[in-house]
Structure formats: C-alpha cells, structure tokens
C-alpha cells in the first residue's frame, strides 16, 4: 500500500488539493441518516448512490472497520442549472477512479 505522502503527491498532481485524512474506524454510522432520506428526500430510490440502493447501516459500519485510513475530497462547482451538476459529478467520479488505479 502506498504511503500517505505518495498518495498526497498523486492527488496534488491531478489538481486535488482540498482533502482531509480521517481514521475510518472512528466513522459513526446511524439509522437516522437512512430515515432522513426515506422521509425527507423527493429523490429517494432514484440514485444508485443513495438508499435504498446502498449497504445497510450495519454493513457500512463493518466496511469502515476494514480500513486504517481514509481520505475525503472537497469539490466545489457552481452551475447555472442544477441539472448540470450530474455531468460534472460523473466526470469527477471517472477521474478519481482513474487516479485510484494509478496508485504509486
């Protein structure tokens, strides 16, 4: 596994300067998050990255226990039409996935 400094260099070479490391084992998972989606989101069930199309709370908790370190990236994009965010988000996901495959 690449060391943290090598990964940070890789991130920065691709223009990702706004990120923060965190210990995944300290990530709190809770049922209220899924309930908020179920009863508060008009798009519930329409996206592959949102409930109910995501792992259960228990599965997420187990997932985070398998990792020693995690990184969160902050991306910001202003769009005139909210629908424009979908294409931009898709492009970011493709780029991050490609970078992941290029790990030093």
């Amino acid at each position: 596994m690449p060391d943290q400094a090598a990964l940070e260099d890789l991130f920065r070479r691709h223009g990702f300067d706004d990120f923060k490391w965190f210990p995944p084992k300290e990530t709190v998972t809770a049922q209220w998050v899924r309930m908020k989606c179920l009863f508060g989101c008009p798009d519930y069930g329409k996206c592959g990255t949102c409930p109910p199309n995501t792992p259960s709370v228990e599965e997420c908790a187990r997932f985070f226990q398998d990792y020693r370190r995690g990184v969160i990236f902050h991306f910001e994009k202003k769009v005139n039409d909210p629908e424009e965010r979908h294409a931009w988000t898709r492009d970011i996901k493709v780029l991050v996935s490609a970078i992941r495959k290029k790990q030093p």
Side-chain angles (χ1 to χ4, degrees), residues 56-73:
S56 69
V57 173
E58 295 77 19
E59 289 171 314
C60 288
R62 285 195 311 268
F63 169 82
F64 285 119
Q65 296 305 309
D66 289 342
Y67 291 89
R68 290 179 296 131
R69 65 181 175 202
V71 64
I72 295 177
F73 295 93

Side-chain angles (χ1 to χ4, degrees), residues 83-100:
E83 292 303 310
E84 293 175 22
R85 75 184 191 281
H86 298 295
W88 179 79
T89 301
R90 191 170 31 258
D91 292 345
I92 290 293
K93 288 177 187 176
V94 168
L95 181 55
V96 170
S97 182
I99 291 170
R100 186 173 176 265

